[in-house]
Amino acid sequence: MMLTLNGLITDKPFRYTRFHGIIDAELFGRCQEDAQRFPYYKIEKTRTSNPDRVWLNQQSGYLSALAYEFDHDQTKRQLGFSMHTTYLGCRTRVELCMDSVGSWLEPHKDDAAKVMTMQLYLTGYGNSTKLGDTETTITKNSAWAFDNTDQPIHSLEPLKYNRASIIINYVTDDWRDKSVLV
């Protein structure tokens, strides 16, 4: 399985990269179907308030295979090249987020052990995560990603539609919970 990780860099409100058509269409459809075996949850304030988080390294199926694809050195090289940095030597953390209508996240900075954050959209409509004061739009099989060096602030206004997405993080050895790493 190969991913397409050619992105367009944007510098406002901070440096982040947009990606489109990341997964081939057949595999993307299978990942969407695979995600539907998990329930939607309402998140409020912080994602860590959800006790039923879905770590893809602990699952089977297409979503698990996708998590392992993001862990390959070739993928880390491609993503690093697109974002003008390197992720070789980082560990990989991949979470399925089944966020229901009304879910929201307070403005926050990611844990300093996260080197990179990417959100890949499987389903949903409308506005999504705010990167600073710029709101992203859900487009299936697209993603945004940022390097966490400057710990940019991001948040989520209450969702108007259910949204399924995958959060990919590259983390340092300082990451506290090794059980969620690929």
Side-chain angles (χ1 to χ4, degrees):
M1 163 179 36
M2 293 299 294
L3 304 173
T4 303
L5 294 170
N6 298 319
L8 176 65
I9 293 178
T10 303
D11 285 321
K12 297 192 185 224
F14 54 79
R15 190 179 181 107
Y16 69 95
T17 306
R18 299 271 317 175
F19 300 90
H20 298 281
I22 294 175
I23 307 169
D24 73 68
E26 182 180 345
L27 179 61
F28 182 75
R30 290 182 179 174
C31 287
Q32 284 180 308
E33 290 171 15
D34 202 8
Q36 296 310 309
R37 65 186 162 115
F38 300 97
Y40 285 93
Y41 289 97
K42 187 172 184 181
I43 53 169
E44 296 180 301
K45 191 174 178 182
T46 65
R47 187 164 300 284
T48 56
S49 63
N50 176 3
D52 300 305
R53 298 173 81 177
V54 180
W55 305 108
L56 296 187
N57 67 305
Q58 299 171 1
Q59 305 300 320
S60 60
Y62 293 102
L63 291 170
S64 177
L66 185 63
Y68 283 91
E69 184 67 20
F70 274 100
D71 192 49
H72 287 164
D73 282 350
Q74 180 180 351
T75 302
K76 290 177 182 179
R77 273 189 206 94
Q78 278 186 294
L79 193 53
F81 180 79
S82 290
M83 295 179 68
H84 303 290
T85 191
T86 183
Y87 300 115
L88 293 175
C90 292
R91 300 288 306 274
T92 306
R93 174 185 174 273
V94 186
E95 179 182 7
L96 175 66
C97 303
M98 302 295 286
D99 302 326
S100 67
V101 171
S103 291
W104 62 277
L105 294 172
E106 65 186 5
H108 66 281
K109 295 178 180 182
D110 282 348
D111 186 303
K114 290 182 182 177
V115 177
M116 186 276 305
T117 297
M118 173 186 268
Q119 183 168 30
L120 169 60
Y121 298 112
L122 295 175
T123 65
Y125 301 96
N127 291 334
S128 187
T129 305
K130 286 181 81 171
L131 305 175
D133 58 1
T134 300
E135 199 156 31
T136 63
T137 302
I138 297 170
T139 304
K140 295 173 188 171
N141 202 10
S142 74
W144 55 260
F146 60 79
D147 185 284
N148 198 37
T149 303
D150 297 325
Q151 293 193 297
I153 294 175
H154 52 290
S155 61
L156 176 66
E157 296 293 321
L159 289 174
K160 295 181 181 170
Y161 303 94
N162 288 346
R163 173 188 77 176
S165 65
I166 299 171
I167 301 290
I168 300 104
N169 297 114
Y170 291 138
V171 300
T172 67
D173 287 333
D174 294 334
W175 187 255
R176 60 195 170 281
D177 184 357
K178 307 291 190 229
S179 73
V180 303
L181 302 178
V182 175

